[in-house]
């Protein structure tokens, strides 16, 4: 008889996953939020590391920052979030601009400033945002592009915690984050402003999550609305909560509409009573497949950045989905009013036009002006329902150049202001300038320079008051009669072109459903792929929409360089047969891939939506 205790049931073997040694994190700008310490991957050994490749112009990157806040807090003793700031625009390569952005968006983890995209290239990243998960032993185990991956990353983190706890390779405890010293100012990264009938100014104090009324001097604080903490709460002004509010406009009844950006909502402020309410939005972010019209409180919105009263409705610059929407106060409804949700610059009928993070609006009787930030463009909508471009050429060209509008350049403008003579002032944010476009002469001039990230401007008598967001103040200027002389500069996005071979290119969007999930095929195909190019002649065939995430693209031999625009979406649901109502998750990303045709180029272009590329 054997008296020995029964052998313990062996623990299930960890799920096999591909592992690639993580390259070192390097960046010429150095580290932020570490108390001055230079971090290495060796310093992070024993932790689950989530590397977030982001740039502060990108609204999708800002969405991901918010998606991951809960994960970051819940797993703070085992997970280290690391932001790698990888700039698109020249201004974003300035170190102080990155310092400002880290504070502005309340980034509470270490950030590597990588102005030359050194780490971006080492990790073969092709899109903002991209998330890379590194296990406690320093191996890359997953990569995700775009939004909607927080649940999958949390599941993976929990697996890694269990696996490396058992192996003895998990190190619990505080991470390397060191908060910077707070700075006292009346405003902190103000967003938009509105002139009130009283002569006072209403300003969104974005980083402090408040709306602030200033006296006519633009400095003295009269009243604050909002507690100053993130949240989505209606009620009296000292009890209500906002979440990074931006745009403001007045309704005919005198109430003020607030674009409550990170709450994905339109709020309403009654200046008489101080009460804050909600007009539109559910508090959840809009995803493809969600309703695009209906009762305003039942339809999700996505990062509304500015609002304007035009032709009986509140028009909304819906930066998060590259569209314009409209709120009808009489019917209490919202609807898409312009844009397809594809990112880019395309004029034409409102239901066919493309925008790219519209962030500023200004209304006149005959035009709704739009600051289309990611295309560095000034656009407008006419009453007949067509979209036009006044200044700007697309996603990749920007700069500071005056003159005829067809060759003039802006750099990521966030605001536009109608002037009495029919021209418009453009808050040319990343050029630190106030520009002017005259539709009569089709000329662009510069009104003022040496502003710091101007995000909006309002007319006050003969003056124009500019929101200097990164100087945390309003600045009053006399509208000049003569333009400022500025040396012309032109830039292109810094990313190197991918060399592709002539003939046929195999495009593979890599998507592997996360652990515990499967593709959602209940209502038909769960994936979507849209391909186009600039110039359109780059592709002889292969453009258009489909449901297969792989596609053969035939290249036009007469065109040797351009940009491939790829938009992909995949829906996955929890794989639990016992659950009648499984939770579903939408993963989506847009890529703009500069390409150059060479004989030594590649014949396959993998773009990772989720998972690691493991070609057969």
């Amino acid at each position: 008889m054997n008296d020995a205790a029964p052998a313990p049931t062996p623990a299930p073997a960890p799920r096999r996953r591909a592992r690639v040694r993580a390259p070192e994190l390097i960046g010429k700008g150095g580290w932020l939020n570490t108390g001055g310490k230079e971090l290495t991957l060796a310093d992070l050994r024993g932790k689950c590391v989530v590397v977030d490749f982001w740039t502060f112009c990108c609204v999708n990157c800002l969405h991901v920052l918010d998606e991951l806040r809960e994960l970051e807090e819940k797993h703070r003793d085992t997970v280290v979030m690391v932001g790698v700031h990888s700039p698109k625009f020249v201004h974003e390569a300035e170190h102080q601009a990155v310092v400002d952005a880290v504070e502005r968006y309340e980034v509470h983890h270490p950030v590597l400033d990588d102005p030359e995209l050194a780490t971006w290239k080492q990790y073969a990243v092709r899109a903002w945002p991209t998330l890379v998960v590194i296990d406690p032993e320093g191996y890359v185990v997953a990569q995700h592009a775009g939004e909607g991956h927080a649940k999958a990353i949390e599941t993976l983190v929990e697996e890694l915690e269990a696996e490396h706890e058992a192996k003895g390779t998990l190190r619990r405890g505080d991470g390397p984050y060191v908060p910077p010293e707070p700075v006292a100012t009346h405003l902190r990264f103000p967003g938009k402003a509105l002139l009130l009938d009283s002569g006072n100014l209403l300003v969104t104090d974005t980083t402090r999550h408040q709306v602030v009324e200033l006296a006519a001097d633009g400095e003295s604080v009269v009243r604050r609305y909002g507690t100053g903490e993130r949240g989505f709460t209606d009620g009296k002004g000292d009890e209500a909560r906002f979440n990074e509010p931006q745009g403001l406009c007045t309704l005919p009844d005198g109430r003020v509409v607030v674009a409550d950006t990170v709450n994905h909502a339109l709020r309403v402020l009654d200046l008489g009573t101080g009460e804050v309410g909600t007009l539109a939005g559910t508090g959840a972010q809009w995803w493809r497949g969600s309703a695009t019209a209906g009762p305003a409180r039942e339809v999700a919105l996505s990062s509304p950045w500015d609002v304007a009263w035009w032709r009986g409705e509140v028009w909304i610059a819906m930066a998060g989905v590259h569209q314009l929407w409209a709120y009808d106060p009489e019917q209490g409804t919202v609807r898409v009013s312009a844009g397809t949700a594809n990112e880019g610059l395309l004029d034409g009928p409102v239901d066919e036009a493309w925008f790219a993070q519209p962030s500023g609006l200004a209304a006149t009787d005959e035009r709704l002006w739009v600051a289309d930030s990611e295309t560095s463009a000034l656009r407008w909508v006419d009453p007949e329902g067509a979209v036009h471009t006044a200044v700007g050429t697309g996603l990749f060209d920007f700069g500071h150049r005056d003159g005829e509008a067809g060759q003039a350049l802006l750099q990521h403008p966030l605001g536009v202001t109608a002037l009495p003579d029919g021209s418009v002032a453009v808050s040319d944010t990343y050029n630190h300038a106030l520009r002017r476009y005259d539709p009569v002469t089709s000329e662009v001039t510069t009104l003022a320079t040496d502003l710091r990230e101007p995000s909006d401007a309002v007319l006050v008598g003969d003056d124009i008051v500019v929101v200097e967001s990164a100087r945390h103040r309003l600045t009053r200027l006399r509208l000049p009669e003569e333009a400022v002389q500025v040396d012309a500069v032109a830039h292109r996005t810094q990313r190197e072109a991918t060399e592709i071979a002539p003939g046929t290119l195999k495009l593979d969007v890599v998507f592997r459903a996360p652990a515990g999930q499967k593709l959602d095929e209940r209502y038909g195909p769960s994936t979507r792929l849209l391909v186009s190019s600039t110039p359109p002649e780059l592709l002889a065939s292969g453009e258009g929409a489909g449901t297969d995430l792989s596609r053969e693209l035939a290249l036009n031999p007469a065109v040797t360089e351009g940009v491939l625009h790829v938009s992909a979406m995949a829906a996955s649901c929890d794989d639990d047969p016992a659950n009648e109502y499984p939770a579903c998750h939408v993963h989506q990303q847009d890529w703009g891939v500069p390409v150059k045709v060479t004989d030594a180029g590649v014949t396959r272009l993998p773009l990772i939506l989720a998972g690691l590329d493991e070609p057969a």
Side-chain angles (χ1 to χ4, degrees):
M1 182 176 177
N2 187 350
D3 293 329
T9 303
R15 184 168 59 91
R16 181 192 175 278
R17 60 175 69 89
R19 301 202 313 169
V20 178
R21 177 63 71 178
E24 190 56 81
L25 303 173
I26 54 174
K28 188 175 181 181
W31 287 89
L32 306 176
N33 286 352
T34 62
K37 180 179 179 179
E38 298 289 311
L39 292 183
T40 67
L41 284 177
D43 298 323
L44 304 177
R45 197 62 50 82
K47 298 286 190 180
C48 303
V49 181
V50 180
V51 183
D52 177 14
F53 289 89
W54 70 297
T55 188
F56 64 79
C57 74
C58 166
V59 71
N60 309 93
C61 299
L62 305 185
H63 290 168
V64 167
L65 283 174
D66 289 311
E67 282 180 11
L68 295 176
R69 291 186 196 277
E70 184 178 345
L71 169 71
E72 192 172 3
E73 179 61 28
K74 183 177 177 182
H75 296 268
R76 61 188 310 168
D77 69 330
T78 59
V79 172
V80 174
M81 292 282 302
V82 174
V84 176
H85 188 269
S86 312
K88 171 184 175 181
F89 290 99
V90 168
H91 169 58
E92 293 176 306
E94 297 177 15
H95 182 70
Q96 185 57 47
V98 181
V99 173
D100 288 344
V102 167
E103 179 190 351
R104 181 194 300 261
Y105 299 114
E106 297 183 337
V107 180
H108 294 164
H109 52 251
V111 173
L112 175 64
D113 180 10
D114 183 18
E116 297 176 346
L117 304 181
T119 296
W120 167 287
K121 295 171 186 173
Q122 286 291 313
Y123 280 77
V125 175
R126 297 184 185 275
W128 297 279
T130 290
L131 298 165
V132 175
V133 181
I134 301 173
D135 73 12
E137 293 180 293
Y139 290 90
V140 173
V141 292
Q143 183 169 327
H144 304 266
E147 304 175 48
H149 302 293
K151 176 65 176 176
I153 290 176
E154 182 173 20
T155 299
L156 176 56
V157 162
E158 290 170 350
E159 287 183 4
L160 292 173
E161 288 172 343
E163 177 183 334
H164 288 273
E165 187 94 81
K167 291 175 66 175
T169 49
L170 184 71
R171 177 167 55 90
R172 294 183 179 273
D174 292 339
Y177 170 65
V178 179
E181 290 294 323
V183 181
T185 53
H186 288 310
L187 301 173
R188 207 69 194 159
F189 299 102
K192 306 287 186 181
L194 178 69
L195 178 65
L196 302 175
D197 290 341
S198 65
N200 289 352
L201 291 154
L202 203 63
V203 185
T204 46
D205 197 9
T206 303
T207 298
R208 292 208 178 107
H209 316 296
Q210 292 180 318
V211 178
V212 181
E213 183 177 347
L214 301 177
D217 62 9
E219 297 179 7
S220 305
V221 176
V222 176
R223 184 172 178 182
R224 293 180 178 272
Y225 301 91
T227 66
E229 297 179 349
R230 289 180 185 270
F232 190 3
T233 306
D234 290 338
K236 295 184 183 300
D238 57 357
E239 300 171 350
R241 291 192 179 190
F242 299 94
N243 199 342
E244 297 184 25
Q246 287 282 348
L248 300 163
C249 77
T250 306
L251 290 170
D253 63 12
R255 294 181 301 161
V256 175
V257 179
V258 182
D260 196 6
T261 304
V262 179
N263 277 331
H264 311 294
L266 294 190
R267 313 293 290 284
V268 63
L269 170 61
D270 188 320
L271 295 171
T273 65
E275 288 283 325
V276 175
T278 299
L279 294 178
T282 64
Q285 183 184 340
W286 185 95
W287 290 100
R288 287 188 188 271
S290 302
T292 55
R297 292 293 304 272
E298 299 174 15
V299 177
L301 309 181
S302 182
S303 295
W305 211 275
D306 203 5
V307 282
W309 180 259
W310 191 54
R311 306 182 76 81
E313 295 180 301
V314 175
W315 284 61
I316 310 163
M318 201 73 79
V321 285
H322 318 299
Q323 291 177 316
L324 305 181
W325 287 43
Y327 165 73
D328 183 336
E330 289 192 6
Q331 300 296 322
T333 57
V334 290
R335 62 181 174 84
V336 173
S337 52
T340 65
N342 293 320
E343 184 179 14
L345 191 153
L346 182 66
D347 290 339
V350 290
D351 58 352
E352 298 177 8
W354 292 17
F355 294 91
Q357 280 181 226
S359 301
L361 299 175
T364 65
D365 288 342
E366 295 302 318
R367 294 188 180 188
L368 180 71
W369 294 98
V370 183
D372 202 28
S373 62
E374 278 293 283
T375 54
S376 297
L378 175 64
R379 319 280 295 279
W380 54 280
V381 183
D382 67 31
E384 286 70 46
V387 177
H388 311 262
T389 297
V391 183
T393 60
L395 287 164
F396 298 95
D397 292 290
F398 56 92
H400 192 150
R401 187 161 63 197
D402 289 331
E404 197 277 321
Q407 56 86 47
L409 293 173
L410 309 170
Q411 186 180 180
H412 199 79
L414 291 179
V416 58
T417 307
L419 301 179
D421 63 358
S423 66
V424 292
V426 179
S427 295
D428 194 6
T429 308
Y430 288 2
N431 279 328
H432 311 300
L434 191 67
R435 313 285 292 282
R436 177 176 178 265
Y437 168 71
D438 186 340
V440 176
T441 63
S442 195
E443 289 285 317
V444 176
T445 54
T446 297
L447 297 175
T449 58
D450 194 31
L451 302 167
R452 187 69 184 172
E453 292 192 19
S455 55
D456 196 20
V458 292
L459 278 174
V460 181
D462 294 329
D463 296 338
I464 190 164
V465 175
V466 180
V467 180
E468 278 198 272
S469 189
R471 283 200 178 112
H472 320 293
R473 70 187 188 190
L474 304 188
T475 299
R476 185 181 296 261
L477 305 173
R478 180 56 55 94
L479 277 173
E481 296 182 5
E482 295 186 5
V484 177
Q485 297 300 310
V486 176
D487 292 334
V489 293
H491 303 288
R492 295 215 83 201
T493 300
Q494 296 185 50
R495 285 178 294 163
E496 296 176 1
T498 297
E499 295 190 359
I500 59 176
T504 300
L505 178 69
K506 177 71 177 305
L507 172 66
D508 284 329
V509 174
V510 177
F511 178 77
R512 307 190 190 286
Q517 296 179 33
K518 63 179 180 179
L519 288 176
D520 180 13
E521 306 283 0
R522 291 173 298 166
Y523 308 110
S526 62
T527 56
R528 175 181 177 274
L529 179 65
L530 177 67
V531 179
S532 62
S533 65
T534 303
E537 296 78 20
L538 175 66
L539 293 179
S541 67
E543 71 282 355
T547 58
D548 192 337
L549 292 181
S550 294
R551 192 175 300 180
E552 299 280 346
L553 305 180
L555 303 172
N556 182 347
V559 181
T560 59
E561 61 182 329
V563 178
L564 288 175
H565 303 283
V566 180
S567 178
M569 183 273 289
S572 61
C573 289
D574 292 345
D575 188 9
D576 181 0
N579 186 353
E580 186 178 356
Y581 303 104
C584 295
H585 315 274
V586 177
H587 317 264
Q588 62 184 55
Q589 176 61 23
D590 296 332
W591 291 266
V593 184
V595 295
K596 184 176 183 179
V597 181
T598 67
D599 289 335
V602 299
T603 58
R604 176 179 177 267
L605 177 62
L607 300 176
I608 296 177
L609 180 59
L612 294 177
D613 183 29
E614 301 175 75

